Every structure is written in C-alpha cells, then in structure tokens.
Amino acid sequence: MRAATLGRMPLPSTLISAPDSLDRPSTAVRNGLLAMGLLQGLLTLALVHAQWTPGWKALALLLILLPPLFMAMAVTRWRDARLWAGGAAMAGVAGVMAGWVVWGLRQSPQHDGGVFVGLGVAASLWWFVALPWFQGFLAQGRWRVAYAAHFALAWNNALMLALAALCVHLVWGVLWLWAGLFALVKVRLFVELFSAEWFVYTLTGLLAGLGLWLARTQQRPIQMMLQTLLVLGRLLLPLLAWVLVFFVLALLFTGVEGLWATRFAAALLMGVLILHTWLVNAVYQDGAAPHAPYARLLQWLVNASLIVMPVLATLACVAIGLRVRQYGWTLERVWAAAAAGVLWLYAVGYACAAAHSLRQGAARPWLPWLAPVNQAMSLLVLAVLLALQTPVLDGQRIGAASQRERLRADPAQASLDRLADLKWGYGRHGAAAIEALAQDPGFQDPELRQQLEKVRSSATRLDLPAAPRQPESVDLAAAQARIKTPAGMQRPQPDWWQWWSQQTLDQYWAEQCRFAGADCVVLSGDWDQDQQLDHLLCNLKDNGNRSCRLSARAADGQWEDQGEVAWGKTYSADAKRAANDALREGRIGAERPRWPQWQLPQQPGAGDARPFTGRLQAPD
C-alpha cells in the first residue's frame, strides 16, 4: 500500500549530497572568497566618495557586486577560463541594463528613483535565475542541465545567500552590543569606530566573503534548512489548494466587482500565485518520486488548484488592464504587466501539467511536465528582465507615449500637474512628449500654451507653482447636525463654522469631521479668560488617541487655530469609553499651572528672535 501520510516522502538524492559545483572548496578558493569580499567593500567605499552622477554610480555598483558574486557562488578553482567568461558575461548583462539607464539619464531633465529600483531588481533577479544554469555548465560542461541538478542548485543558492546574510547580521549585532556596553561606561571609542564609513564598508565586505565561505563549507546546515522548508511546503500546499479552489467557486456566485473595489486585486492575486508556485515546487522537488506525494483525495485537490491557476492569473491581468485603461501606462504598470504575463504563462503551464497528470492516472509520476515548464519559464524570465531594462520594454518610454496620447485625445485634462508629471516622471521620454504636445494642433489654446510653456521652461519641478486646490462644497447644515455640542455649552457662531469650512480644504484635523460617519464634538468655553468664547473641536477616534483642536479669536477678531490639545493615551476599552463620554457631555475643566514659563533674552544682535523659554517638567 502506497504511503500517503505527510512527511514520509524522501528527499531527492541531489539534496542529500551537494552537487559537484557545491563541493567543499579548496583553501585557495576559500581565501579567494575572503579577498573578493574585502575588495568589494573597499571598492564600494571608494564609490561612495566618488564625484560621479547617480547613473554611473549605479553601473559601477552593479559591476562591483554582481559579477564577482556570480563567480564566487560557482567557483571550484580560480584557474578556469569558463569561470571568468561567466563573470564577464554577467558584467556584460549588468552593463547593458545599467548602460541604458545611464544613457537615458544623460538626456533626462531629472532622474527618477524608481528607475534605480527597477534596475536593481532586474539585475538581481537576472543574476539569481541565470546562476543555476552557469553552475550546471561548469559542473557538466554543457548548457543543458538536468532538472534534478537545476532544482538542487537553485534552492542551495537561495539558502547559501540566506546563511551568508545571517552571518553578516549576527557579527554586526555582536559588534554593536560590544559598542553599546562600553558606551554605558562613557567609553565611546567603539561606537565611533564601528560607525566609521571605512570600517563599515570594509568589514561588511569581509563578512560577506566569510559568510560565503561558511555557506560553501557547511552543507549540512543548509540541507537541514532545505528539508525543513520542503516539509513545510508539503504541509501548506493542500491548505492553499483548498483556498484557491473554493475561492474560484465563490466567484461564480459573488462576481468580481468586490475584487475590483479593493484597488489592490492584481497585487493580491499575483502574491497568491507566487506562493502557490513555490509550494508546488517544494512538493514536486526534482520530480524523481515514482508516485504522487498525497492520498488520492488530496492529489485531486492539488491538481484542481493547478487547473484553476489560469483563472486567478487572468483576473490579475484584467485588473492591471483596467488600471491601464483608466489611467494609462506608467513604469510601475509596465513592470506589473510583465510580472502578470509571466505568471499567466506559469499558470497555463502548470494547469496543462495537472491535466496531463490526471489523464495518466495515479500510477504514473506526478506532474511529469512540470520540469520542462520550469526550465523553459526560467529562460523566458531572463529574456523579460533584460527586455525591461532595454528599449524593448522600457517602462518610461511606454508610459510617456501612453500619457502623451491620453492628453492629446483630451486636451482638457492637461492640467499643470499632469503636464509636470509627464515631463518629470518619465525621464527623457517625458521631456520629448512635452515637446511633441507643444507642436500638436490641439494644444494651441492660449491657456494650454501658457501651461505648456511653464513646464517647458522649468529647470526643476520645484520651479512650477503649486496648483491651487479646488474648493469643495461643504454642507454646513449637515455638518452642524453631525458635530454635536454638549448640553449647557454654547454652539459656535456662524462665522466660526465658515472659518472651519475653509480649514477643511487643507487641514487634516478639520477635514476628518466633514465626512459622514465622523464622530466629532465641539466644546465651548472662555479658557484663557479674555472674555471671548473659545472652541475645542474633538475627533473621537476609537483608538485611545483622540485629537482635539483649539480655536480662538485673534486680535483682529478673526478665528485662528491655536494648536492641538494632547491627551494622555488610554489603552483599555473602559478608559477609552469614559474619556469619550466625558468629552461628549462637556465634563471638561481647565487648570492653570502653578509655575510660570521662564524666559531668557537672546544674545545681542539676534534681531527679533524669540527669547529662550523654559518650562517645569514633572520628575520621572
């Protein structure tokens, strides 16, 4: 009788003994790892102080980090021409990706931080996905790597990086504990030493090399971590499969309107698909098991979840498509669409593998098509990542063209903010789009031309005037009915309500009491004893941190915001309820401080600067 209980499936042999490329390195290799880490730290330190533009710094940083690490993860001997050729290839890919960014920034009026984030993500993912192929090539002498070796190499790489990062963090934790202990006795030498730039970069690089040394030599902890992750994946997969199948069935009755209303449906669905893909691979492992890993009922459930994966992937693509149709393409949406497209292909491949497995029956190996799907998709991921950092799928180019066409189709939407976003948010392509709109017949209206000229002539976005906020109508009658006043207290005068409605345009504290369902109360009293009524508007939030704002008449008779009244936090439900009830009922008092506020005059020549002030604070 076939075993069906969880935890009895043996690990594949490739995980019990490390692959050839991960054998215990020689002394020369280990010393080289330390030297490489130290050199990377020193070069990064020099790069920090280099007077280069951000684009050139990003290129240099990728060349400092990725090619050496690409070689360090695969080296078995340093005198191997294929090893150095692989490092050169990785440097070439990093150079192509970063070179496109550098070239774009040289012709761009302003650099965008999102470009550097995308560059770092694309280069790092390309490095990680390509690494197992390179390691397999070094071990076998051919690019066609067996899936069992590919699986073992990919998982080992992830865990070796995690172990190396853990080593770096633990050593730094001990060092800062050391510095903190000596700082308690007023010895700050170690605090200053451990925070010095030269020490931080040098030691971090050395520790990174040491971490790789440990990860390459201590395979047993890695295998134990891997076995734990695989067992955990086997436990979680049926649960997630149950959730996915019944979620898709529920959509037949509820529809997808609620999903679109969340405004983060695409991110949520793609996160679920990524988790499901990881769990399926944790159970499938290298595909060497002769039978399915679960009992028949659970096997059917997991296969059903694989078959419905395209439904979730399609919904994610539709969600992104709806956002694009509403607001056009941006750099972020191009990346999201690329990720959703890759996940859709994964989902279709896994669904076909599950359907084929069901057709074969339980007596055959489970999901025999999964291995070729994974390897083919890994090559596709490499191509997509490279395309995203080249003109093929350049998000700034696509986004600028999309926003330009949207404004061209409806020039009435060309506000100063949207034109500024187009010029400053899409690099050189945004500036080119602004120039194209300036030549468009639809933008010859005098008001549009004036806005375009302001954007064209601005050297930075800060040169543009802030767009005035459009006033929003406030229903004062509804607000007065919603904002209560405790019994026995005088209601605010009409001019206070007009002043408050103006504050709702740009003051968060006032705006929150404007919405329906707000829980606000306004208290009145002459708290400064100037024979003028003051008002305290309180927003009774249900978190024990209620906010009250004091307003009073200025010398010219106009209302003026005096600041916020800070209350002590209340954490228990009874204390929150008691404090809110006291404010609603107007049970509030004022106590003048016994001790005054002291003042010291400023030094001569300080102009009209305010004097130094001192207040008495209660002892701890």
Side-chain angles (χ1 to χ4, degrees):
M1 182 177 181
R2 187 172 72 248
T5 58
L6 295 177
R8 294 179 59 184
M9 180 178 177
L11 288 172
S13 59
T14 53
L15 299 181
I16 297 173
S17 59
D20 293 341
S21 62
L22 299 179
D23 284 342
R24 182 181 179 89
S26 64
T27 303
V29 170
R30 297 198 299 269
N31 293 339
L33 294 178
L34 291 177
M36 181 176 291
L38 179 61
L39 182 59
Q40 285 178 308
L42 294 174
L43 290 176
T44 306
L45 175 62
L47 181 63
V48 169
H49 295 281
Q51 300 298 319
W52 293 356
T53 61
W56 286 110
K57 280 192 173 184
L59 172 58
L61 184 62
L62 289 182
L63 294 178
I64 290 171
L65 296 181
L66 293 186
L69 191 56
F70 196 70
M71 299 168 60
M73 294 288 289
V75 60
T76 55
R77 57 188 182 89
W78 292 110
R79 292 184 178 183
D80 188 343
R82 299 174 303 169
L83 177 70
W84 293 94
M90 185 67 239
V93 171
V96 169
M97 290 184 173
W100 175 248
V101 172
V102 171
W103 185 78
L105 291 178
R106 290 185 63 185
Q107 304 185 34
S108 172
Q110 186 178 11
H111 71 271
D112 182 11
V115 175
F116 296 109
V117 173
L119 172 62
V121 171
S124 300
L125 286 178
W126 202 98
W127 175 93
F128 184 79
V129 176
L131 183 58
W133 290 100
F134 179 57
Q135 291 170 317
F137 169 73
L138 289 182
Q140 302 177 11
R142 54 190 177 91
W143 286 108
R144 187 173 182 178
V145 182
Y147 183 73
H150 196 167
F151 169 84
L153 289 166
W155 284 76
N156 271 277
N157 290 339
L159 293 175
M160 282 197 297
L161 290 174
L163 185 58
L166 180 63
C167 172
V168 173
H169 284 83
L170 287 178
V171 174
W172 268 113
V174 172
L175 290 178
W176 279 111
L177 178 62
W178 173 3
L181 289 175
F182 277 89
L184 293 177
V185 293
K186 309 303 182 184
V187 178
R188 299 191 56 82
L189 170 64
F190 300 107
V191 174
E192 297 173 358
L193 174 63
F194 296 161
S195 58
E197 277 191 349
W198 68 268
F199 187 85
V200 171
Y201 285 98
T202 303
L203 184 63
T204 301
L206 188 62
L207 291 177
L210 178 62
L212 286 180
W213 177 350
L214 293 175
R216 291 288 303 272
T217 56
Q218 303 297 321
Q219 281 294 307
R220 182 171 180 81
I222 289 180
Q223 300 306 318
M224 293 176 62
M225 293 167 57
L226 179 55
Q227 184 173 2
T228 302
L229 287 175
L230 297 182
V231 171
L232 182 62
R234 187 171 181 180
L235 290 172
L236 292 177
L237 180 58
L239 177 61
L240 184 59
W242 176 278
V243 172
L244 293 187
V245 171
F246 280 88
F247 175 75
V248 173
L249 292 177
L251 288 178
L252 299 177
F253 301 96
T254 64
V256 296
E257 289 77 11
L259 195 63
W260 305 149
T262 63
R263 303 183 69 84
F264 56 85
L268 180 62
L269 291 171
M270 287 193 292
V272 171
L273 288 171
I274 292 173
L275 178 60
H276 194 232
T277 302
W278 177 78
L279 292 178
V280 169
N281 282 279
V283 174
Y284 179 76
Q285 297 179 18
D286 63 355
H291 304 293
Y294 297 110
R296 180 163 298 182
L297 180 60
L298 290 182
Q299 181 184 347
W300 274 84
L301 179 64
V302 172
N303 286 336
S305 70
L306 294 175
I307 291 175
V308 302
M309 279 181 69
V311 176
L312 301 181
T314 301
L315 289 175
C317 294
V318 171
I320 296 174
L322 290 175
R323 297 291 289 178
V324 170
R325 188 174 66 178
Q326 288 177 317
Y327 305 107
W329 288 103
T330 61
L331 175 65
E332 293 77 11
R333 293 187 189 116
V334 170
W335 273 77
V342 169
L343 287 173
W344 188 86
L345 292 175
Y346 262 111
V348 171
Y350 280 29
C352 293
H356 177 70
S357 182
L358 286 174
R359 189 165 55 248
Q360 281 192 322
R364 299 292 183 88
W366 184 54
L367 301 178
W369 287 3
L370 203 65
V373 168
N374 282 339
Q375 288 193 311
M377 287 304 301
S378 69
L379 296 176
L380 178 64
V381 167
L382 293 177
V384 171
L385 290 172
L386 191 59
L388 287 169
Q389 292 302 126
T390 56
V392 180
L393 289 179
D394 183 9
Q396 287 192 326
R397 176 184 62 82
I398 296 173
S402 172
Q403 300 300 324
R404 181 194 65 210
E405 293 304 317
R406 289 175 64 85
L407 293 177
R408 180 175 289 171
D410 188 6
Q413 299 297 322
S415 63
L416 189 65
D417 275 346
R418 291 195 63 175
L419 292 173
D421 288 339
L422 178 57
K423 178 174 181 178
W424 303 111
Y426 298 90
R428 66 184 185 88
H429 303 286
I434 291 293
E435 296 299 326
L437 290 178
Q439 307 301 323
D440 190 88
F443 280 77
Q444 304 308 314
D445 178 79
E447 183 177 353
L448 286 178
R449 293 295 305 179
Q450 183 181 9
Q451 292 183 344
L452 269 174
E453 291 304 322
K454 287 181 181 179
V455 175
R456 292 177 68 189
S457 60
S458 59
T460 67
R461 184 162 187 162
L462 297 177
D463 295 339
L464 296 173
R469 181 173 177 177
Q470 296 297 325
E472 300 180 30
S473 59
V474 178
D475 190 345
L476 281 179
Q480 291 175 358
R482 184 165 54 248
I483 302 175
K484 306 296 183 183
T485 299
M489 287 189 174
Q490 184 176 339
R491 293 283 286 177
Q493 299 90 329
D495 63 338
W496 184 90
W497 289 105
Q498 293 292 338
W499 172 80
W500 169 78
S501 67
Q502 291 296 320
Q503 301 301 303
T504 61
L505 295 178
D506 54 8
Q507 298 296 329
Y508 179 80
W509 61 267
E511 184 182 20
Q512 295 308 296
C513 293
R514 180 172 62 87
F515 300 113
D519 187 9
C520 294
V521 61
V522 59
L523 294 82
S524 302
D526 184 14
W527 289 296
D528 57 354
Q529 298 182 3
D530 63 348
Q531 309 304 316
Q532 296 282 346
L533 202 62
D534 310 316
H535 298 300
L536 193 64
L537 180 64
C538 297
N539 184 13
L540 308 181
K541 296 179 289 186
D542 189 22
N543 60 0
N545 189 24
R546 63 203 53 79
S547 174
C548 294
R549 204 80 181 191
L550 179 65
S551 54
R553 291 190 184 275
D556 58 359
Q558 300 298 318
W559 287 101
E560 188 177 65
D561 178 27
Q562 301 298 317
E564 182 179 3
V565 176
W567 304 96
K569 291 187 178 180
T570 52
Y571 297 99
S572 66
D574 291 340
K576 295 176 187 178
R577 186 164 48 251
N580 287 350
D581 289 345
L583 286 172
R584 289 191 180 95
E585 297 169 8
R587 292 186 279 113
I588 186 173
E591 179 182 353
R592 293 188 176 276
R594 174 185 175 187
W595 300 108
Q597 175 178 290
W598 290 279
Q599 295 183 352
L600 295 174
Q602 282 277 21
Q603 297 296 326
D608 58 353
R610 295 182 179 180
F612 298 109
T613 60
R615 296 180 178 88
L616 183 67
Q617 294 184 350
D620 295 336

